[in-house]
């Protein structure tokens, strides 16, 4: 099951800013998944990442892990992909009522640690960080 935690209330403005920006980006659809990983994404999400606990920052440190930053738009029932041996961190930035992950409703200021793929229900936009240990 996905582990849901909460960001501090100070993160709300950064989440809104990124959510508003993402809604206007050109998402690509592949196998039912809409994703965007274009220019500016990493810089735009940095203000949000500073609110994560140190443990999350360490787990996704690009010096220790092969980390990929992308964003997704869950517009239909789908699976958020996390490959075996990888960790995922899902940070919803714009949530529309009814959005859920693995049967748990999503709320503002939450982030989700994923150790495996998860079932998602619409609708929401999120940052998705995927990480694997560098060997």
């Amino acid at each position: 099951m996905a582990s849901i935690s909460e960001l501090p209330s100070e993160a709300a403005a950064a989440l809104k800013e990124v959510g508003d920006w993402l809604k206007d980006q050109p998402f690509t659809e592949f196998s039912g998944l809409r994703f965007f990983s274009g220019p500016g994404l990493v810089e735009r999400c940095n203000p949000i990442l500073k609110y994560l606990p140190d443990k999350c920052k360490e787990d996704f440190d690009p010096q220790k892990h092969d980390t990929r930053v992308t964003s997704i738009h869950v517009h239909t029932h789908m699976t958020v992909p996390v490959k075996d041996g990888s960790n995922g961190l899902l940070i919803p930035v714009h949530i529309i009522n009814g959005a859920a992950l693995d049967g748990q409703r999503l709320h503002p200021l939450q982030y989700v640690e994923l150790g495996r793929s998860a079932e998602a229900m619409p609708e929401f936009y999120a940052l998705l960080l995927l990480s694997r240990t560098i060997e």
Side-chain angles (χ1 to χ4, degrees):
M1 174 148 297
S3 173
I4 297 179
S5 301
E6 209 162 300
L7 294 167
S9 59
E10 294 84 8
L15 290 167
K16 181 178 179 353
E17 183 176 317
V18 172
D20 290 345
W21 179 77
L22 274 181
K23 291 185 290 184
D24 293 332
Q25 299 311 304
F27 281 76
T28 301
E29 188 156 345
F30 180 75
S31 297
L33 175 65
R34 288 183 184 166
F35 67 93
F36 171 74
S37 59
L41 179 62
V42 173
E43 292 80 21
R44 289 279 182 163
C45 72
N46 274 336
I48 294 171
L49 301 181
K50 74 179 185 181
Y51 292 107
L52 291 170
D54 290 339
K55 170 80 169 91
C56 285
K57 290 176 188 173
E58 184 178 309
D59 288 347
F60 292 89
D61 181 345
Q63 300 298 316
K64 299 176 185 172
H65 304 274
D66 178 19
T67 301
R68 184 169 45 123
V69 178
T70 189
S71 58
I72 61 172
H73 175 206
V74 175
H75 65 288
T76 187
H77 178 256
M78 61 176 288
T79 300
V80 176
V82 178
K83 291 182 180 178
D84 286 341
S86 295
N87 292 312
L89 187 67
L90 183 88
I91 307 170
V93 294
H94 180 75
I95 302 168
I96 297 168
N97 286 340
L101 193 70
D102 275 351
Q104 299 178 73
R105 294 212 41 185
L106 294 173
H107 301 282
L109 294 173
Q110 290 181 328
Y111 66 94
V112 185
E113 295 178 68
L114 302 169
R116 60 172 177 75
S117 296
E119 293 299 311
M121 295 297 291
E123 179 177 7
F124 64 92
Y125 290 81
L127 298 175
L128 178 62
L129 286 72
L130 297 171
S131 174
R132 243 191 318 210
T133 302
I134 297 173
E135 297 181 23

